[in-house]
Amino acid sequence: MQALVIHGKQDLREENIDLPALAPGKVRLRMSFGGICGSDLHYYHEGANGAFVVREPLIPGHEMSGVVDEDPSGQWPLGTPVTLHPATFGQSQTGIEDKPHLWPNGAYLGSASTWPHTQGGMSQFLDVDASMLRALPDTLPLKRAALAEPLAVGLHGIEVAGGVDQKRVLVCGAGPIGLLAAAAALARGAKEVCITDILEGPLSRAKILGVHRTIQVDREVLPEEAFDVVLECTGVPVSINNAILAVRRAGVIAQIGMMPAAPQPIALASLIAKEVQLRGCFRFNNEIDEAIALLAANSNFDHVITHVLPAADAQQAFAIAKDAEVSGKVLIELWK
């Protein structure tokens, strides 16, 4: 089968690899679309995503859609359009029994965090546990369905924040995760959704999604203590410091954007004085089911997708995805 394989820094190859026999309990998918995520960009451009270094050939991709190609159990009819919950959960621990996404020793499609690496879905076929499959409604096309995983990340941030219904919400960063978090906040009944960025391109895409206000933070002043909830989607220290100033007293910041493991220059004095809660967010639990429903009900999410390129142009797709001014979500159309 054909696959996109990262061998190291800026070494992405289209290869023909062996298709293994289908293991018991697995379902084989013929893949359709794969979204390029921030972690995929790090693996390609840097050969590592934080501490997770590409030590063997890695097929990227966890924002996926496809159709069922083979299911020996007969549970999934051939041709069923699906998306994936890309996590394999580890071992439960006391206190987090209901949070399997936090259980240790789990895995995620397209990740070098495990050894051997957990191969992703940017391939012609992918064999997965049936529990990972989510059938698509008739109103959800395969291209838009590739947004289910990143939209679930935004929805999880809202859950961690305690909800946004009738609240004033600030989203920091108008990249794909920020755009989807903003759209999710609007769908969840936020009274006001404001989004920031330093670039005009991402903010223009946010306007199309219907946010109430955009702020280009290198040119405009961000109001202080003006928001009940902040969804921080950049992981950049200066943006987190802005979030601390912008949230109201006793407000909540949901930290969706990932940061490097090294110490970071975060100014906590205002957070302490205002009793602001800074809450970490990691991937998602079961929010992908709500994400599918939202995507099926609203074609406006299509505006998050700015580019769709064939697998043969994958290197160009990764270059475009790195340019935040011109691109929102970049999808790769996999082999037909």
Side-chain angles (χ1 to χ4, degrees):
M1 68 172 177
Q2 297 299 109
L4 298 176
V5 185
I6 296 174
H7 288 261
K9 182 178 180 180
Q10 295 185 349
D11 185 358
L12 175 67
R13 310 174 195 175
E14 182 180 349
E15 297 183 356
N16 192 357
I17 62 177
D18 291 337
L19 183 63
L22 188 61
K26 299 285 188 177
V27 177
R28 176 160 292 166
L29 306 180
R30 179 181 288 272
M31 307 311 294
S32 298
F33 293 95
I36 299 177
C37 174
S39 62
D40 301 321
L41 287 175
H42 285 298
Y43 285 131
Y44 170 65
H45 288 288
E46 302 159 23
N49 180 32
F52 306 134
V53 179
V54 176
R55 294 177 287 161
E56 66 173 348
L58 174 68
I59 301 173
H62 53 258
E63 303 176 0
M64 312 305 303
S65 66
V67 298
V68 174
D69 188 73
E70 183 179 353
D71 178 19
S73 75
Q75 177 185 356
W76 290 89
L78 301 188
T80 301
V82 297
T83 188
L84 298 169
H85 192 309
T88 301
F89 300 124
Q91 292 82 43
S92 179
Q93 288 189 339
T94 302
I96 56 171
E97 293 89 348
D98 61 340
K99 302 181 188 299
H101 61 293
L102 298 182
W103 294 353
N105 302 316
Y108 216 70
L109 290 179
S111 174
S113 64
T114 57
W115 183 259
H117 296 342
T118 304
Q119 301 299 325
M122 289 194 182
S123 53
Q124 192 173 10
F125 297 96
L126 179 67
D127 297 349
V128 298
D129 291 332
S131 62
M132 301 171 75
L133 298 180
R134 300 293 190 275
L136 303 183
D138 293 339
T139 54
L140 180 53
L142 284 164
K143 183 171 74 171
R144 194 188 312 153
L147 297 176
E149 192 273 352
L151 178 55
V153 171
L155 287 166
H156 183 65
I158 291 172
E159 283 294 308
V160 169
V164 295
D165 186 42
Q166 294 304 304
K167 294 180 180 179
R168 301 166 299 168
V169 178
L170 174 67
V171 179
C172 296
I177 293 293
L179 292 174
L180 290 167
L186 290 168
R188 283 282 197 96
K191 180 180 180 180
E192 175 189 0
V193 177
C194 176
I195 193 167
T196 69
D197 208 282
I198 60 172
L199 299 174
E200 294 182 1
L203 293 177
S204 67
R205 290 184 278 277
K207 291 176 182 177
I208 296 173
L209 289 175
V211 300
H212 299 91
R213 182 183 176 189
T214 62
I215 298 177
Q216 194 168 352
V217 288
D218 60 343
R219 298 183 182 182
E220 304 172 67
V221 176
L222 187 63
E224 296 188 12
E225 300 192 16
F227 301 96
D228 305 299
V229 172
V230 179
L231 305 175
E232 208 297 311
C233 299
T234 72
V236 176
V238 66
S239 180
I240 299 171
N241 290 334
N242 284 339
I244 293 172
L245 295 176
V247 73
R248 66 165 170 83
R249 295 167 186 265
V252 175
I253 301 172
Q255 186 57 46
I256 299 172
M258 181 55 74
M259 304 184 71
Q264 302 293 316
I266 307 297
L268 295 178
S270 293
L271 179 141
I272 296 166
K274 295 195 297 183
E275 291 193 1
V276 170
Q277 296 182 47
L278 178 60
R279 302 178 182 176
C281 307
F282 185 65
R283 296 174 180 164
F284 57 92
N285 187 356
N286 55 12
E287 288 87 355
I288 197 166
D289 299 310
E290 181 182 356
I292 291 169
L294 288 177
L295 291 169
N298 189 351
S299 62
N300 203 38
F301 283 99
D302 288 339
H303 294 297
V304 176
I305 302 169
T306 56
H307 298 78
V308 181
L309 283 81
D313 296 331
Q315 291 189 16
Q316 182 185 0
F318 273 76
I320 293 171
K322 191 178 181 181
D323 188 345
E325 175 64 49
V326 302
S327 69
K329 178 56 65 179
V330 177
L331 300 184
I332 294 178
E333 185 172 11
L334 301 166
W335 298 267
K336 296 182 180 180

